[in-house]
Amino acid sequence: MDTINEASAQAWRTRLRACMDERGLTQLGLVSALNRQYLTKYHQKDVSRWLNTGNRTTSGVIGFPKYETMSILADFFGVDVGYLTGETDERSFNLQHACDYLSLDGSAISALRKWIRKGTGNTTDDGKNPTMRSYRADTLNELFSSPEFGTMAEKLLTLHEMSAIWRTNPERFSSLMTSLASDSDLPDDLTFQLILGAFYGMANESFSALLRSAYPIPNEQQFEQLIIEHES
Protein backbone atom coordinates (compact mmCIF):
# COMPACT_ATOMS: atom_id res chain seq x y z
CA MET A 1 0.00 0.00 0.00
CA ASP A 2 1.51 3.36 -1.05
CA THR A 3 1.95 6.32 1.30
CA ILE A 4 -1.21 8.10 0.11
CA ASN A 5 -3.36 5.03 0.57
CA GLU A 6 -1.80 4.35 3.97
CA ALA A 7 -2.69 7.88 5.10
CA SER A 8 -6.22 7.49 3.73
CA ALA A 9 -6.62 4.13 5.45
CA GLN A 10 -5.42 5.54 8.75
CA ALA A 11 -7.83 8.47 8.44
CA TRP A 12 -10.64 6.07 7.58
CA ARG A 13 -10.00 3.88 10.62
CA THR A 14 -9.65 6.81 13.00
CA ARG A 15 -12.63 8.82 11.77
CA LEU A 16 -14.98 5.88 11.36
CA ARG A 17 -14.24 4.88 14.94
CA ALA A 18 -14.73 8.49 16.09
CA CYS A 19 -18.10 8.68 14.32
CA MET A 20 -19.18 5.46 16.01
CA ASP A 21 -18.04 6.75 19.39
CA GLU A 22 -19.96 10.01 18.91
CA ARG A 23 -23.13 7.97 18.44
CA GLY A 24 -22.23 5.52 21.18
CA LEU A 25 -22.37 2.65 18.69
CA THR A 26 -20.72 -0.72 19.08
CA GLN A 27 -19.93 -2.81 16.02
CA LEU A 28 -23.19 -4.72 16.47
CA GLY A 29 -25.06 -1.50 17.09
CA LEU A 30 -23.78 -0.01 13.84
CA VAL A 31 -24.73 -3.15 11.90
CA SER A 32 -28.24 -3.06 13.33
CA ALA A 33 -28.70 0.63 12.55
CA LEU A 34 -27.38 0.34 8.99
CA ASN A 35 -29.45 -2.73 8.12
CA ARG A 36 -32.57 -1.13 9.52
CA GLN A 37 -32.11 2.23 7.80
CA TYR A 38 -30.69 1.11 4.44
CA LEU A 39 -32.13 -2.43 4.22
CA THR A 40 -28.60 -3.81 3.94
CA LYS A 41 -27.31 -7.16 5.18
CA TYR A 42 -24.06 -6.27 6.90
CA HIS A 43 -22.58 -8.37 9.69
CA GLN A 44 -20.39 -7.57 12.67
CA LYS A 45 -17.40 -9.01 10.83
CA ASP A 46 -17.92 -6.39 8.10
CA VAL A 47 -17.60 -3.56 10.61
CA SER A 48 -14.51 -5.20 12.09
CA ARG A 49 -13.00 -5.30 8.61
CA TRP A 50 -13.86 -1.64 7.96
CA LEU A 51 -12.18 -0.64 11.23
CA ASN A 52 -9.04 -2.50 10.17
CA THR A 53 -8.78 -1.07 6.66
CA GLY A 54 -5.13 -0.82 5.64
CA ASN A 55 -3.87 -3.21 8.27
CA ARG A 56 -1.83 -6.22 7.23
CA THR A 57 -2.95 -9.76 7.88
CA THR A 58 -1.51 -13.12 6.97
CA SER A 59 -3.55 -13.00 3.77
CA GLY A 60 -2.53 -9.45 2.81
CA VAL A 61 -3.60 -5.85 3.36
CA ILE A 62 -7.26 -5.22 4.18
CA GLY A 63 -8.63 -3.01 1.44
CA PHE A 64 -11.23 -0.27 1.56
CA PRO A 65 -14.88 -1.35 1.43
CA LYS A 66 -16.81 -0.87 -1.79
CA TYR A 67 -17.61 2.75 -2.57
CA GLU A 68 -21.32 2.01 -2.13
CA THR A 69 -20.60 0.93 1.44
CA MET A 70 -18.42 3.99 2.04
CA SER A 71 -21.25 6.22 0.76
CA ILE A 72 -23.77 4.52 3.05
CA LEU A 73 -21.52 4.99 6.07
CA ALA A 74 -20.88 8.64 5.16
CA ASP A 75 -24.60 9.30 4.72
CA PHE A 76 -25.42 7.57 8.00
CA PHE A 77 -22.96 9.71 9.95
CA GLY A 78 -23.82 12.91 8.08
CA VAL A 79 -20.36 13.42 6.58
CA ASP A 80 -18.73 13.23 3.15
CA VAL A 81 -16.70 10.20 2.10
CA GLY A 82 -13.78 12.60 1.70
CA TYR A 83 -13.88 13.35 5.41
CA LEU A 84 -13.67 9.66 6.31
CA THR A 85 -10.72 9.16 3.95
CA GLY A 86 -8.87 12.29 5.04
CA GLU A 87 -9.34 14.34 1.87
CA THR A 88 -10.77 17.14 4.01
CA ASP A 89 -10.54 17.80 7.72
CA GLU A 90 -14.07 19.21 7.77
CA ARG A 91 -17.06 16.92 7.87
CA SER A 92 -18.10 17.88 4.34
CA PHE A 93 -16.56 19.57 1.31
CA ASN A 94 -19.28 22.23 1.48
CA LEU A 95 -18.15 23.04 4.99
CA GLN A 96 -14.53 23.08 3.85
CA HIS A 97 -15.38 25.53 1.07
CA ALA A 98 -17.27 27.73 3.53
CA CYS A 99 -14.26 27.71 5.86
CA ASP A 100 -11.91 28.64 3.03
CA TYR A 101 -14.23 31.43 1.85
CA LEU A 102 -14.96 32.94 5.27
CA SER A 103 -11.66 32.07 6.99
CA LEU A 104 -13.66 30.72 9.90
CA ASP A 105 -13.25 27.44 11.75
CA GLY A 106 -15.58 24.61 10.89
CA SER A 107 -16.84 24.58 14.47
CA ALA A 108 -18.02 28.20 14.16
CA ILE A 109 -19.80 27.63 10.85
CA SER A 110 -21.29 24.38 12.11
CA ALA A 111 -22.61 26.16 15.20
CA LEU A 112 -24.38 28.75 13.04
CA ARG A 113 -25.79 26.08 10.75
CA LYS A 114 -26.93 23.97 13.68
CA TRP A 115 -28.81 26.92 15.20
CA ILE A 116 -30.48 27.83 11.90
CA ARG A 117 -31.58 24.25 11.33
CA LYS A 118 -32.58 23.65 14.94
CA GLY A 119 -36.03 22.13 15.37
CA THR A 120 -38.73 23.90 17.35
CA GLY A 121 -41.28 22.35 19.64
CA ASN A 122 -41.76 18.73 18.62
CA THR A 123 -40.04 19.35 15.29
CA THR A 124 -36.52 17.95 15.21
CA ASP A 125 -36.09 17.81 11.44
CA ASP A 126 -35.50 21.25 9.94
CA GLY A 127 -37.10 20.08 6.69
CA LYS A 128 -40.43 19.84 8.50
CA ASN A 129 -40.30 23.48 9.53
CA PRO A 130 -38.86 25.51 6.63
CA THR A 131 -40.55 28.71 7.83
CA MET A 132 -38.74 28.74 11.15
CA ARG A 133 -35.49 27.76 9.46
CA SER A 134 -35.84 30.76 7.12
CA TYR A 135 -36.75 33.02 10.02
CA ARG A 136 -33.68 31.98 11.97
CA ALA A 137 -31.48 32.60 8.92
CA ASP A 138 -33.02 36.04 8.45
CA THR A 139 -32.28 36.85 12.09
CA LEU A 140 -28.56 36.33 11.48
CA ASN A 141 -28.66 37.93 8.02
CA GLU A 142 -29.97 41.17 9.52
CA LEU A 143 -27.27 41.10 12.19
CA PHE A 144 -24.29 40.50 9.91
CA SER A 145 -25.48 42.82 7.11
CA SER A 146 -26.09 45.79 9.42
CA PRO A 147 -23.80 48.78 8.72
CA GLU A 148 -23.01 48.75 12.44
CA PHE A 149 -21.61 45.22 12.37
CA GLY A 150 -18.11 46.29 11.29
CA THR A 151 -17.85 48.83 14.11
CA MET A 152 -18.95 46.29 16.68
CA ALA A 153 -16.56 43.69 15.27
CA GLU A 154 -13.64 46.11 15.69
CA LYS A 155 -14.49 46.43 19.39
CA LEU A 156 -14.62 42.64 19.63
CA LEU A 157 -11.22 42.52 17.94
CA THR A 158 -9.78 44.68 20.71
CA LEU A 159 -11.30 42.46 23.37
CA HIS A 160 -9.98 39.36 21.60
CA GLU A 161 -6.48 40.83 21.45
CA MET A 162 -6.55 41.65 25.16
CA SER A 163 -7.91 38.20 26.02
CA ALA A 164 -5.37 36.44 23.80
CA ILE A 165 -2.49 38.31 25.46
CA TRP A 166 -3.83 37.41 28.90
CA ARG A 167 -4.18 33.74 28.02
CA THR A 168 -0.87 33.32 26.20
CA ASN A 169 1.44 35.85 27.87
CA PRO A 170 0.26 37.02 31.32
CA GLU A 171 3.50 38.95 31.91
CA ARG A 172 3.00 41.01 28.75
CA PHE A 173 -0.62 41.61 29.75
CA SER A 174 0.49 42.88 33.16
CA SER A 175 3.08 45.16 31.54
CA LEU A 176 0.47 46.53 29.14
CA MET A 177 -2.00 47.21 31.95
CA THR A 178 0.72 48.89 34.00
CA SER A 179 1.57 51.13 31.06
CA LEU A 180 -2.07 52.11 30.54
CA ALA A 181 -2.49 52.82 34.25
CA SER A 182 0.74 54.82 34.65
CA ASP A 183 -1.04 58.20 34.87
CA SER A 184 -3.67 57.07 37.37
CA ASP A 185 -3.58 57.97 41.06
CA LEU A 186 -5.90 55.09 41.94
CA PRO A 187 -4.71 51.71 43.27
CA ASP A 188 -3.48 49.42 40.52
CA ASP A 189 -6.17 46.77 40.97
CA LEU A 190 -8.95 49.37 40.75
CA THR A 191 -7.33 51.05 37.76
CA PHE A 192 -7.03 47.71 35.95
CA GLN A 193 -10.71 46.99 36.55
CA LEU A 194 -11.68 50.42 35.24
CA ILE A 195 -9.57 49.97 32.11
CA LEU A 196 -10.97 46.52 31.39
CA GLY A 197 -14.47 47.76 32.16
CA ALA A 198 -13.97 50.52 29.62
CA PHE A 199 -13.06 47.99 26.91
CA TYR A 200 -16.16 45.94 27.64
CA GLY A 201 -18.26 49.08 27.89
CA MET A 202 -17.24 50.22 24.43
CA ALA A 203 -18.06 46.78 23.04
CA ASN A 204 -21.45 46.80 24.78
CA GLU A 205 -22.22 50.24 23.40
CA SER A 206 -21.36 49.14 19.88
CA PHE A 207 -23.39 45.97 20.29
CA SER A 208 -26.40 47.98 21.42
CA ALA A 209 -26.05 50.20 18.35
CA LEU A 210 -25.84 47.08 16.19
CA LEU A 211 -28.99 45.65 17.71
CA ARG A 212 -30.90 48.89 17.15
CA SER A 213 -29.70 48.98 13.55
CA ALA A 214 -30.40 45.31 12.76
CA TYR A 215 -33.71 45.06 14.59
CA PRO A 216 -35.28 48.55 14.65
CA ILE A 217 -38.36 49.20 16.78
CA PRO A 218 -40.43 52.40 17.14
CA ASN A 219 -39.00 55.20 19.24
CA GLU A 220 -41.21 56.92 21.80
CA GLN A 221 -42.62 59.43 19.32
CA GLN A 222 -43.33 56.80 16.69
CA PHE A 223 -44.93 54.54 19.28
CA GLU A 224 -47.23 57.32 20.46
CA GLN A 225 -48.25 57.93 16.85
CA LEU A 226 -49.05 54.23 16.45
CA ILE A 227 -51.30 54.36 19.52
CA ILE A 228 -53.11 57.42 18.17
CA GLU A 229 -53.64 55.77 14.78
CA HIS A 230 -54.81 52.55 16.46
CA GLU A 231 -57.35 54.36 18.65
CA SER A 232 -58.70 56.55 15.87
Side-chain angles (χ1 to χ4, degrees):
M1 180 175 285
D2 58 42
T3 303
I4 294 178
N5 282 338
E6 287 180 359
S8 295
Q10 182 177 0
W12 170 271
R13 293 193 303 270
T14 301
R15 293 180 176 180
L16 179 58
R17 170 58 69 185
C19 286
M20 291 173 60
D21 291 343
E22 286 177 8
R23 297 278 190 92
L25 291 171
T26 62
Q27 294 185 16
L28 288 175
L30 177 58
V31 166
S32 177
L34 291 175
N35 290 343
R36 182 172 60 253
Q37 182 169 335
Y38 298 95
L39 303 180
T40 48
K41 295 182 180 180
Y42 296 122
H43 300 281
Q44 183 272 332
K45 65 180 181 180
D46 294 315
V47 181
S48 177
R49 183 177 179 83
W50 302 337
L51 291 172
N52 283 284
T53 296
N55 289 335
R56 295 184 179 277
T57 67
T58 55
S59 57
V61 177
I62 299 176
F64 281 93
K66 294 180 180 179
Y67 190 79
E68 179 184 3
T69 297
M70 297 170 73
S71 296
I72 288 175
L73 287 167
D75 182 74
F76 177 76
F77 288 115
V79 301
D80 283 354
V81 172
Y83 169 74
L84 293 175
T85 58
E87 294 176 65
T88 174
D89 289 332
E90 302 300 340
R91 296 177 75 89
S92 72
F93 285 109
N94 284 340
L95 180 56
Q96 181 67 63
H97 295 157
C99 292
D100 294 341
Y101 184 74
L102 296 173
S103 298
L104 293 177
D105 289 339
S107 57
I109 296 175
S110 293
L112 292 175
R113 187 171 185 270
K114 181 179 180 180
W115 185 80
I116 291 173
R117 300 168 70 92
K118 181 180 179 181
T120 57
N122 294 325
T123 303
T124 56
D125 182 355
D126 66 277
K128 296 179 181 178
N129 199 340
T131 300
M132 181 53 68
R133 176 180 173 182
S134 177
Y135 199 69
R136 286 174 177 268
D138 286 343
T139 299
L140 296 183
N141 285 332
E142 295 291 346
L143 185 73
F144 295 135
S145 61
S146 166
E148 296 293 334
F149 177 76
T151 302
M152 191 275 293
E154 288 298 324
K155 299 299 189 299
L156 293 183
L157 177 62
T158 300
L159 287 177
H160 173 65
E161 291 172 341
M162 298 295 291
S163 178
I165 293 173
W166 162 245
R167 286 181 282 111
T168 60
N169 194 338
E171 291 184 359
R172 182 186 172 198
F173 181 85
S174 178
S175 176
L176 178 60
M177 288 292 101
T178 300
S179 176
L180 292 174
S182 60
D183 295 331
S184 174
D185 295 327
L186 298 173
D188 286 348
D189 57 343
L190 178 56
T191 301
F192 294 163
Q193 292 301 319
L194 290 174
I195 292 173
L196 295 177
F199 283 122
Y200 281 105
M202 288 186 291
N204 285 332
E205 183 179 348
S206 294
F207 186 61
S208 294
L210 170 62
L211 294 181
R212 290 191 293 269
S213 170
Y215 316 114
I217 58 176
N219 57 34
E220 183 177 353
Q221 182 178 0
Q222 291 172 325
F223 186 73
E224 289 177 353
Q225 183 62 35
L226 286 174
I227 296 300
I228 294 174
E229 292 176 357
H230 178 72
E231 293 179 344
S232 62

